[in-house]
Amino acid sequence: MGEIDGTTTHNVNKQQWISEAENAIKGSLESLHKTVYEGIKIKPLYDLEDVEDIKKIKGMKIPLKESSNSWNISQLLIADTPSELNEKINYAKSRGQHSFYLTNFRFIRKSEDLNLAFQSIDWKEDTLFFDVKSQSDFLSLFLYEQYRKKRLPYIKGFIGFDPYEELLTTGESDLTSKLDFLVDVIHWKERNNAPTRSILVKGNLFNRAGGDPIQQLTYTFAEAYEVMIKLMNRGLSIDLIARHMVISFDIGPQFFMEIAKIRAAKQLWVSLLHALGCENGEKKIHIHASTSAHDQTAYDVYGNLLRSTTAGFSAAVAGVDELTILPFDSVLKDSSPLGERIARNTHFILSDESFLSNVIDPSSGSYYIETITHQLAEQAWAQLKKTENDGGFEERLKTNIIQKELQKSLEVKIDEVNDRTKQVIGINVYANVMDPHPTIEIKDSSNQIAERDDTHLSLLTNSHIPLMRQEEKVTIRPIQTTRYVEHIETLRQKANVTKLDLHSKSKIFVVTVGLLKNHKTMLDKVNGILAVGGLSCTTIYFNEFEKVEKGVIYIFCGKESDFEDLHFTFIRNYKKKNPGSSFYITSKGTEQIRKEYPIDGAITDQMNIYDFLQTILSKLEDDSR
């Protein structure tokens, strides 16, 4: 016992604390350990012992920013014409944005279009983040125009593409020509003193395909390694490649794990450079992060505000260089200026009100974050070495290994949504049947190659500007990107389109048994499950059942003990008169009742609500024909 400033303190060692904690929970602390990914075990308590060994490991240092933890506000701007893009850039600048993230340039076909679209850009002050994807002609045109106007040395940021993105998303790509083009672009930029980066590795794709953090890190750096080797084989030095590379990640709402993921990426980058013999092996990685579309929902879209803010907070704490916060309604076809405004202003809340830009690596020293950072980096590095031993990133794509592993992880997430192990507000829990039905945004098509403008191609060729050449295409099975709640949303939209949700109240009856205090909790659960499918029901007492006509679904709701004295023989007669009707019972301890009587199923806490709702909708659909 001691005394500090008049306050009595107790000197309790770790073992005493564990003993008291186990007495309180009446069990072992080991029972609270949770394995979240392969090799990653989350404990209820971390202390100095967990990080002491980590600090001794050579090469585990995280390269940090030099002066502040600030990041570029890289909100995505979407436009369809040069004049519209100019207006959006001008408006964004007036609202404090200073980095301009663009992915669609198909409407910029000639110099006049380019000059009009970017006339509001201050080339010496503003920062670019141009992911040109397969729109290589725009990149050539942009370089030519900036060269002609002697702006190249002043332009900051990134203008380039991920050479593997088209292959990953469409299953087909002239990969050789993309890599050759990248080499030409980098050489040309070096000769003309253009400091913008050119190589993008989009780890975002592996998040959107359902990958867990270990898979995202593994495949991202496996791709980065493959790109580096192929560019080195084309004559570029590893130092030059490293200086031109940007890695992009999606950030989900799992706060601590996402911080650890970005910090682990910085460790892996250093290890990768050392492995490739980079002279500047401590060079800091340049990271772009975007809040994850994979975790957004089309129903109850305001819940996306919480997910995006949490994800943005994680990215800022982890120390990213570029940050894109998606508007809360970005998954909808008609996203709003309000959503864009709130997303942009979230940066200022994180930076200026939460002061996250003032502290470099604020999570450093946290026993928990330091431990899971090391675990993620260690597991990803082991998987990365295994990938290279098995032939490398591209070979694993050709043999469908990566696609299968991502699909397996996605299926685990979907199963967790279906049985509500993973709760998503507004989707599988607390769904609002009055929520308006959304129109979901169509898939991004900016990987499509725009039609070439021959009048400007000759000009670019004569000016020795790099141009893409067509080569033989590589083919694989593409990875499937999705949001893991889309299947639930599709089910609910089906009910709306077929008008089944409007008629469900007169077709679905919940029959309560026993006292209200005994069945109220289960009644709320039944209503909640039906709401996930956009369905409503009518609640009646058991003695009112005979008065019901033309029902399709009947759910008996009560405690197991309340069902014991009831006889369900009437169900057989009812089904003979109404062959399309179905009967369900709550509680999993009713197996004997289901054996004796023709009851179609039970509603329990562990049930697959997606399969249940599919069955209900199918029966309602049959009845409406």
Side-chain angles (χ1 to χ4, degrees):
M1 184 177 292
E3 193 169 296
I4 301 176
D5 297 332
T7 302
T8 301
T9 63
H10 295 273
N11 299 320
V12 179
N13 62 35
K14 180 180 177 180
Q15 193 54 48
Q16 288 175 305
W17 187 94
I18 291 175
S19 178
E20 288 297 322
E22 290 180 338
N23 285 336
I25 66 173
K26 294 180 174 59
S28 170
L29 280 183
E30 289 282 341
S31 65
L32 301 180
H33 290 193
K34 178 182 179 183
T35 301
V36 289
Y37 311 110
E38 184 180 353
I40 306 293
K41 183 177 287 187
I42 303 300
K43 304 191 301 181
L45 172 69
Y46 290 83
D47 61 14
L48 185 60
E49 291 179 10
D50 292 294
V51 297
E52 279 182 338
D53 291 337
I54 295 173
K55 292 179 178 179
K56 297 175 185 177
I57 299 175
K58 186 178 179 180
M60 295 308 292
K61 181 180 178 182
I62 298 177
L64 302 176
K65 295 180 179 180
E66 294 178 358
S67 57
S68 76
N69 195 42
S70 61
W71 59 89
N72 289 328
I73 301 174
S74 295
Q75 291 302 105
L76 179 65
L77 300 180
I78 300 173
D80 295 316
T81 66
S83 58
E84 183 185 6
L85 180 55
N86 175 57
E87 290 174 4
K88 289 204 169 187
I89 290 174
N90 193 43
Y91 179 80
K93 288 186 68 172
S94 70
R95 295 299 184 270
Q97 187 169 336
H98 42 68
S99 180
F100 302 98
Y101 178 25
L102 302 173
T103 61
N104 178 20
F105 306 92
R106 289 191 301 275
F107 52 85
I108 299 177
R109 306 291 303 281
K110 51 191 177 182
S111 297
E112 290 80 0
D113 296 336
L114 190 146
N115 292 329
L116 174 57
F118 301 124
Q119 67 180 17
S120 296
I121 293 284
D122 184 331
W123 300 103
K124 293 185 179 181
E125 297 294 332
D126 297 332
T127 302
L128 311 181
F129 194 86
F130 289 1
D131 176 10
V132 304
K133 299 194 175 185
S134 292
Q135 301 153 104
S136 61
D137 284 356
F138 167 78
L139 177 52
S140 300
L141 176 63
F142 181 86
L143 293 178
Y144 168 74
E145 195 62 25
Q146 307 316 313
Y147 171 78
R148 188 173 69 85
K149 295 188 175 181
K150 297 181 172 55
R151 293 173 179 156
L152 285 172
Y154 309 111
I155 300 176
K156 303 184 295 293
F158 170 85
I159 174 165
F161 59 93
D162 181 340
Y164 274 95
E165 180 180 11
E166 186 180 30
L167 180 65
L168 289 167
T169 56
T170 69
E172 185 178 74
S173 175
D174 47 346
L175 186 60
T176 299
S177 64
K178 290 182 183 297
L179 292 165
D180 289 341
F181 179 58
L182 265 180
V183 172
D184 291 342
V185 167
I186 292 171
H187 278 315
W188 189 90
K189 283 185 176 183
E190 291 299 307
R191 288 196 304 270
N192 291 280
N193 192 25
T196 53
R197 298 169 183 264
S198 308
I199 310 165
L200 182 60
V201 176
K202 299 185 74 169
N204 321 66
L205 299 175
F206 307 118
N207 170 274
R208 296 168 195 175
D212 62 45
I214 294 176
Q215 290 173 325
Q216 292 172 47
L217 290 168
T218 301
Y219 303 146
T220 299
F221 282 97
E223 180 187 338
Y225 180 77
E226 192 97 3
V227 170
M228 286 174 163
I229 292 297
K230 289 181 181 294
L231 294 182
M232 288 171 69
N233 290 339
R234 286 167 167 79
L236 295 184
S237 70
I238 182 59
D239 292 89
L240 183 58
I241 294 168
R243 181 153 54 84
H244 273 268
M245 187 168 280
V246 174
I247 293 185
S248 186
F249 288 102
D250 271 4
I251 306 294
Q254 293 76 33
F255 183 69
F256 296 108
M257 190 61 69
E258 295 298 328
I259 294 173
K261 182 178 79 178
I262 297 299
R263 297 176 84 248
K266 296 178 181 182
Q267 290 185 357
L268 289 167
W269 174 251
V270 172
S271 299
L272 196 61
L273 291 186
H274 279 301
L276 291 169
C278 182
E279 293 180 4
N280 190 11
E282 300 298 321
K283 184 176 179 65
K284 186 179 73 69
I285 185 176
H286 192 91
I287 296 180
H288 165 257
S290 172
T291 57
S292 173
H294 182 67
D295 295 277
Q296 289 207 328
T297 64
Y299 286 94
D300 197 8
V301 291
Y302 295 107
N304 294 329
L305 283 169
L306 302 176
R307 300 181 189 101
S308 293
T309 301
T310 301
F313 197 109
S314 298
V317 168
V320 301
D321 301 283
E322 308 265 346
L323 178 58
T324 303
I325 296 177
L326 296 179
F328 67 85
D329 53 1
S330 63
V331 296
L332 305 185
K333 184 177 181 180
D334 299 317
S335 57
S336 65
L338 175 64
E340 294 176 5
R341 177 187 172 193
I342 292 175
R344 187 184 298 110
N345 287 346
T346 302
H347 289 271
F348 303 120
I349 294 172
L350 296 176
S351 176
D352 301 337
E353 296 187 26
S354 300
F355 301 107
L356 293 181
S357 61
N358 293 357
V359 183
I360 297 174
D361 198 14
S363 62
S364 176
S366 163
Y367 299 146
Y368 174 40
I369 293 178
E370 293 283 8
T371 302
I372 59 176
T373 295
H374 169 64
Q375 290 177 324
L376 285 174
E378 189 177 46
Q379 290 292 320
W381 186 251
Q383 291 299 317
L384 180 58
K385 290 193 291 186
K386 185 177 185 301
T387 298
E388 293 311 309
N389 291 336
D390 292 345
F393 178 72
E394 192 173 324
E395 182 61 29
R396 281 203 152 198
L397 286 174
K398 291 177 180 178
T399 54
N400 290 333
I401 293 175
I402 290 176
Q403 294 92 324
K404 289 176 181 177
E405 289 178 349
L406 289 171
Q407 183 63 32
K408 184 178 179 180
S409 292
L410 178 62
E411 288 172 358
V412 169
K413 284 186 178 181
I414 290 174
D415 287 343
E416 289 176 346
V417 169
N418 290 348
D419 64 18
R420 302 205 284 187
T421 303
K422 181 179 181 66
Q423 296 188 341
V424 185
I425 304 299
I427 299 297
N428 65 351
V429 291
Y430 306 117
N432 180 8
V433 293
M434 302 304 293
D435 206 19
H437 294 282
T439 303
I440 299 174
E441 176 66 287
I442 58 174
K443 299 288 184 181
D444 178 33
S445 60
S446 53
N447 258 327
Q448 297 175 358
I449 300 175
E451 188 177 328
R452 291 178 179 267
D453 187 335
D454 293 333
T455 59
H456 282 75
L457 277 183
S458 59
L459 178 65
L460 298 176
T461 303
N462 294 333
S463 302
H464 305 289
I465 300 294
L467 293 170
M468 180 84 79
R469 298 179 296 275
Q470 300 300 315
E471 303 283 351
E472 184 178 350
K473 294 193 174 184
V474 177
T475 59
I476 62 165
R477 193 184 86 186
I479 62 173
Q480 302 298 318
T481 57
T482 184
R483 291 178 297 111
Y484 58 82
V485 297
E486 279 190 51
H487 63 297
I488 298 282
E489 295 172 349
T490 301
L491 192 72
R492 188 165 170 180
Q493 286 184 318
K494 177 184 176 182
N496 173 55
V497 169
T498 56
K499 307 300 182 185
L500 297 178
D501 54 346
L502 297 177
H503 304 299
S504 60
K505 195 173 181 66
S506 61
K507 298 294 182 181
I508 302 176
F509 291 87
V510 177
V511 184
T512 59
V513 177
L515 299 175
L516 175 63
K517 67 177 183 179
N518 291 341
H519 65 242
K520 179 65 168 64
T521 300
M522 185 56 73
L523 177 61
D524 291 340
K525 286 183 181 179
V526 171
N527 279 313
I529 290 172
L530 293 173
V532 170
L535 304 175
S536 303
C537 64
T538 298
T539 303
I540 61 173
Y541 291 109
F542 184 79
N543 57 13
E544 297 176 315
F545 175 79
E546 294 181 356
K547 302 176 184 177
V548 177
E549 295 182 1
K550 298 182 180 180
V552 176
I553 305 296
Y554 298 92
I555 301 171
F556 295 101
C557 179
K559 289 182 67 176
E560 295 172 29
S561 56
D562 291 325
F563 292 131
E564 292 175 356
D565 298 329
L566 296 179
H567 300 285
F568 294 95
T569 51
F570 60 88
I571 293 178
R572 292 189 179 92
N573 293 330
Y574 193 92
K575 280 195 169 187
K576 288 179 182 178
K577 295 179 182 178
N578 304 276
S581 60
S582 296
F583 291 78
Y584 295 85
I585 192 167
T586 60
S587 301
K588 61 181 179 181
T590 54
E591 291 85 356
Q592 188 59 38
I593 295 175
R594 281 183 280 146
K595 287 180 181 178
E596 293 181 20
Y597 306 103
I599 292 176
D600 296 84
I603 297 176
T604 66
D605 291 335
Q606 293 78 30
M607 71 181 294
N608 185 315
I609 63 169
Y610 178 70
D611 288 347
F612 171 72
L613 289 170
Q614 269 194 315
T615 302
I616 297 300
L617 287 173
S618 178
K619 292 179 181 295
L620 292 177
E621 199 169 15
D622 290 342
D623 180 73
S624 65
R625 291 188 180 124

